[in-house]
Amino acid sequence: MTRASYRRYLSTLMLVLLSCACLVCAFVYIVDPYNLYGAVRRENFNAVKPGLSRYQSQIKHAHALRLQPSFIILGNSRAEMGFDPRAAAFGAMQGDGYNMGIPGTAMAMAISQFAQLTQAGIKPGTVIVGIEFIDFLKPAVAPPVRTEASSGHVPGFWRFDALFSLASVKDAVKTPFIQHDRAAFTIAPSGLNPALDYGAHAVRDGYYKVFKHRAQKSAARFVKMSKADFADGDFQAMHDFLVAMSATQADIKLVIYPYHAQMLTLFEGAGLWPLFEEWKQQVVLEVASVKKQYPSARISVTDFSGFGLYNCEPIPTQQQRHASTRWYWEAGHFKRALGDIVMQRVMTQKDEAPVDGQFGMLLTGATLAANRDRIAAERSACVAAQPEMFLFSQKLFARPLEDAPTDN
């Protein structure tokens, strides 16, 4: 091969590679699996987007920047799957809302998300924050300190990787095939995870198995938590977060998640119940402290935990293989139907008890005792109605728990 022909070969090869790269980028750009570009949106082609498995915070931040939401929802997977920004409760609000919930994250993520929005000039009028008791716990034995190597990614690298990477091509190829898949992992334009894959899993395996599996994993995690105190700095971080949100004059609505009663029996079995009560009191104290510092701050705390009519929903038995539930996927994750009720209670903020009990009780220093009494009375009724659920938790903690992998 002569030098001239060798140069032609290299030039042709480079041109082919460059053309292929451009075609890949164009394909991902047009299909737009992460809803970042908006060049093409067609039903039966790319209207339904696959769920986010990477760059979740960055992509949701980009969505919020484009949407300029008037209200946002922050939290973990419970919020992402349960709180719909398009629920009827928000019908009277001006502008759109966006669900920024990210699975497996703690309050530090919510703090970071809110800070990034305000730095970009976006100041939502209402901020709904799902607060997680479990995130404030610390391991009984401190885990070894890990030194994480730098990823080497420069700021903004995720945008390049979201357009030009094998993972992006795979998601782009997947997109047309999930348009009518009722069991696909997807994300709505509002940031909500409609939990289609959760529903398919429950139908396939049965709700009894789904509840049992989640309970076993949660119990294995809870027994490893300290029963004496909370993680260092978490309440200070909450205080600073509330101050930052109050500075934007936002209406801040803190929501204690509506755990299924089975989850609360796991708190009891693991010896975490006293900390659960103390945590609520501390949350109320932090809110009062911020309100004292900023009298104009609008902050409310609504407790949806307990053993009430919704929380104590019967769990299908092993024999009820095809039975379904109305309010819960399993003890940790509630369905959108219950999330809509939660949002209605949060947005109306009525002090009087709802017709179905005190589901959604406003917490203040003056109502903490009444809230404890409310939960105690609900527990007695739930024990009478669902004794097998309490017995299951007792048996679960009566034997050594396996070191099963846990998630949030």
Side-chain angles (χ1 to χ4, degrees):
M1 180 180 290
T2 65
R3 179 171 296 183
S5 61
Y6 183 66
R7 286 178 178 174
R8 284 195 301 272
Y9 168 76
L10 289 180
S11 298
T12 302
L13 179 61
M14 290 299 295
L15 181 61
V16 170
L17 292 176
L18 183 60
S19 299
C20 290
C22 291
L23 286 173
V24 167
C25 289
F27 175 65
V28 174
Y29 183 84
I30 292 172
V31 177
D32 194 11
Y34 309 128
N35 198 23
L36 292 172
Y37 314 114
V40 176
R41 186 186 185 279
R42 292 183 180 177
E43 297 295 330
N44 305 319
F45 173 58
N46 70 340
V48 177
K49 306 296 185 182
L52 301 177
S53 57
R54 62 193 191 118
Y55 300 128
Q56 294 163 297
S57 177
Q58 294 90 333
I59 292 174
K60 285 205 164 186
H61 178 67
H63 291 173
L65 289 180
R66 183 178 61 214
L67 187 63
Q68 302 275 309
S70 61
F71 67 93
I72 59 173
I73 297 169
L74 300 171
N76 56 21
S77 60
R78 309 189 206 284
E80 187 195 43
M81 294 168 57
F83 297 153
D84 187 357
R86 297 186 179 181
F90 303 111
M93 298 194 68
Q94 299 295 323
D96 295 319
Y98 190 71
N99 187 325
M100 301 192 72
I102 297 179
T105 59
M107 182 163 287
M109 176 58 73
I111 295 172
S112 174
Q113 288 176 310
F114 186 80
Q116 290 176 15
L117 287 182
T118 54
Q119 289 169 8
I122 299 176
K123 297 181 179 180
T126 300
V127 183
I128 299 167
V129 186
I131 52 176
E132 179 68 80
F133 162 63
I134 300 169
D135 289 340
F136 285 73
L137 302 177
K138 69 177 182 180
V141 178
V145 178
R146 296 181 180 179
T147 303
E148 296 185 1
S150 174
S151 63
H153 292 171
V154 297
F157 172 82
W158 74 270
R159 287 191 174 274
F160 168 79
D161 197 44
L163 180 64
F164 186 65
S165 68
L166 181 59
S168 298
V169 173
K170 289 171 63 177
D171 285 338
V173 170
K174 180 196 307 180
T175 300
F177 292 96
I178 65 172
Q179 298 306 300
H180 301 287
D181 187 350
R182 301 301 300 170
F185 172 43
T186 64
I187 185 171
S190 62
L192 174 78
N193 174 0
L196 299 180
D197 54 327
Y198 243 69
H201 178 58
V203 169
R204 183 181 66 247
D205 293 341
Y207 277 88
Y208 172 83
K209 184 175 180 180
V210 173
F211 268 84
K212 180 179 179 181
H213 179 63
R214 170 64 62 174
Q216 290 172 332
K217 293 174 68 176
S218 296
R221 180 184 182 188
F222 295 164
V223 295
K224 299 176 183 178
M225 297 298 179
S226 171
K227 313 302 185 291
D229 53 9
F230 299 101
D232 298 333
D234 278 0
F235 286 109
Q236 182 60 50
M238 170 180 276
H239 180 94
D240 296 341
F241 186 29
L242 293 175
V243 168
M245 288 189 288
S246 299
T248 67
Q249 300 183 338
D251 185 5
I252 307 160
K253 301 180 183 297
L254 304 182
V255 176
I256 298 176
Y257 290 118
Y259 305 106
H260 188 276
Q262 186 189 62
M263 181 67 75
L264 301 191
T265 67
L266 299 181
F267 290 171
E268 292 178 338
L272 296 174
W273 191 264
L275 276 184
F276 189 38
E277 294 289 357
E278 184 181 342
W279 173 75
K280 293 180 185 180
Q281 181 177 1
Q282 189 62 40
V283 169
V284 169
L285 289 175
E286 293 298 340
V287 170
S289 174
V290 173
K291 284 186 173 181
K292 183 177 181 180
Q293 186 177 356
Y294 297 93
S296 62
R298 294 177 294 165
I299 312 173
S300 65
V301 186
T302 312
D303 185 9
F304 290 93
S305 69
F307 298 86
L309 295 177
Y310 297 107
N311 312 86
C312 195
E313 180 178 27
I315 301 172
T317 66
Q318 192 169 10
Q319 289 71 36
Q320 296 172 316
R321 177 67 177 74
H322 300 292
S324 182
T325 58
R326 183 177 181 183
W327 308 119
Y328 290 89
W329 297 113
E330 27 79 357
H333 292 90
F334 50 93
K335 295 184 177 181
R336 190 176 6 169
L338 184 57
D340 287 352
I341 295 173
V342 169
M343 290 296 97
Q344 187 67 43
R345 300 287 166 83
V346 167
M347 296 306 296
T348 54
Q349 291 293 337
K350 293 181 179 179
D351 293 332
E352 64 270 17
V355 294
D356 52 355
Q358 290 178 313
F359 182 68
M361 188 168 184
L362 282 171
L363 286 191
T364 65
T367 64
L368 279 170
N371 191 51
R372 287 193 293 270
D373 293 341
R374 185 261 306 178
I375 293 177
E378 290 177 353
R379 186 184 186 282
S380 297
C382 188
V383 169
Q386 305 290 333
E388 66 281 354
M389 178 171 61
F390 291 81
L391 183 61
F392 169 80
S393 295
Q394 293 172 7
K395 291 180 177 179
L396 190 61
F397 287 97
R399 62 178 185 270
L401 295 165
E402 298 177 358
D403 283 339
T406 60
D407 56 16
N408 194 20

